[in-house]
Amino acid sequence: MLTRIITGIVGIALAAVIIQTGGAFFAGAALLLAWLAWLEYVRVFAERGMGLTLVTGLLGIGLIWYAGWQQQTDWLLAAVTLSVCVVLMESVLRRSAVSIMDALASAAGILYIGFPFAYMVMLRQTAPETLLMTPVGSFDFGCAMIWILFIGTWSSDTFAYFTGSALGRHKLCPSISPNKTVEGFLGSLVGTTAAVAALGMFFDLPVREMAVLGFILALLATIGDLVESVAKRYAGVKDSGNIIPGHGGVWDRFDSILFTAPLVYYFVKFVGIVLK
């Protein structure tokens, strides 16, 4: 437990530096994390004897990241199309090593991991000219939304854990994640809604919209966690990796973010809160 706490404190401090710095530093960190998550994804499915397209996946995720870094949605679509086509071609050209199921799992993984980290990079660069004044200083809009993304996602996990530990009686998905409870899930919904609404007040953003974002964020964070749990149960592994002492792998730590990052990006894009 001590190792987990120390690692968590160091991780939060490092995340704060990366988020506040932004720019190429933030984008580079996102690419590194995406690649590490992909390596773990490949390793997990290898436990079931699957031979995913390791190198093509690294290149595909890199292309998706670069398109996001350049804020080019046309390039993003081109990167995805190219990556999927090459992966499927490998099932023909390297059929002794890459089966069609390996290719399909690879294509799914490239999208599953590549898109969210690209969305994070694009979100961090959103409306850099818009400054939000807070009691502790000013934040550019993209920086504030990244904080909302991460604090909201962390809040979902935290409220679910403590509410479930104190009040949990009914299992949520016992065949997938035996420790999750309905009470913990409800605690996550209420707590995350309140936490993101409070962040809206802190950043002087519309509180009603932030409360809606918090509610949906808690839903998708839970689903993201369960999706990784399904994959790990399928492969028969406890953690996706051990790169983070006491916390497992990068995929373990970002499983919910993989679902909430696209949510926050499109919420900003379509709800238009930057203009309020």
Side-chain angles (χ1 to χ4, degrees):
M1 178 60 73
L2 180 60
T3 299
R4 185 180 178 87
I5 293 172
I6 293 173
T7 304
I9 293 172
V10 172
I12 291 172
L14 182 59
V17 172
I18 294 171
I19 292 170
Q20 291 298 124
T21 302
F25 190 48
F26 180 89
L31 177 60
L32 176 61
L33 290 169
W35 275 343
L36 289 172
W38 169 252
L39 293 175
E40 293 173 358
Y41 180 90
V42 171
R43 186 194 70 81
V44 165
F45 282 95
E47 294 293 326
R48 287 298 297 260
M50 298 180 69
L52 273 59
T53 57
L54 175 63
V55 175
T56 304
L58 291 172
L59 293 174
I61 289 171
L63 287 174
I64 293 171
W65 166 86
Y66 184 74
W69 169 233
Q70 296 300 314
Q71 298 280 302
Q72 296 288 338
T73 53
D74 288 341
W75 295 5
L76 195 63
L77 292 174
V80 170
T81 302
L82 178 62
S83 299
V84 171
C85 287
V86 172
V87 165
L88 292 175
M89 284 171 55
E90 288 195 57
S91 68
V92 175
L93 301 177
R94 300 178 57 225
R95 58 185 177 275
S96 61
V98 180
S99 70
I100 185 61
M101 294 308 298
D102 295 338
L104 292 174
S106 298
I110 291 170
L111 304 184
Y112 168 56
I113 294 170
F115 266 131
F117 283 99
Y119 284 134
M120 271 191 278
V121 173
M122 291 192 288
L123 181 63
R124 181 61 181 84
Q125 298 180 83
T126 301
E129 71 286 351
T130 302
L131 294 180
L132 305 178
M133 302 306 298
T134 75
V136 297
S138 63
F139 292 76
D140 66 73
F141 181 81
C143 180
M145 292 312 302
I146 289 292
W147 275 117
I148 289 171
L149 164 64
F150 278 95
I151 294 176
T153 305
W154 293 334
S155 296
S156 173
D157 184 59
T158 301
F159 281 113
Y161 175 77
F162 284 107
T163 306
S165 297
L167 304 174
R169 297 293 183 273
H170 304 87
K171 299 297 183 181
L172 182 64
C173 295
S175 63
I176 299 174
S177 184
N179 294 327
K180 290 191 181 301
T181 63
V182 173
E183 293 80 2
F185 173 63
L186 294 176
S188 171
L189 288 177
V190 174
T192 307
T193 300
V196 176
L199 286 170
M201 296 176 63
F202 178 79
F203 288 115
D204 195 24
L205 293 169
V207 176
R208 182 180 61 184
E209 284 85 344
M210 288 295 99
V212 172
L213 175 60
F215 183 85
I216 304 172
L217 192 149
L219 286 173
L220 290 189
T222 303
I223 293 171
D225 191 354
L226 290 172
V227 165
E228 196 216 5
S229 294
V230 168
K232 291 193 295 186
R233 186 168 290 274
Y234 171 77
V237 300
K238 182 178 183 296
D239 296 316
S240 66
N242 55 13
I243 194 172
I244 308 173
H247 291 264
V250 171
W251 188 14
D252 291 319
R253 291 303 91 206
F254 283 81
D255 54 359
S256 294
I257 294 287
L258 295 178
F259 274 67
T260 57
L263 162 68
V264 176
Y265 175 79
Y266 283 115
F267 191 89
V268 168
K269 185 177 180 65
F270 294 121
V271 175
I273 58 174
V274 68
L275 301 177
K276 294 186 181 293

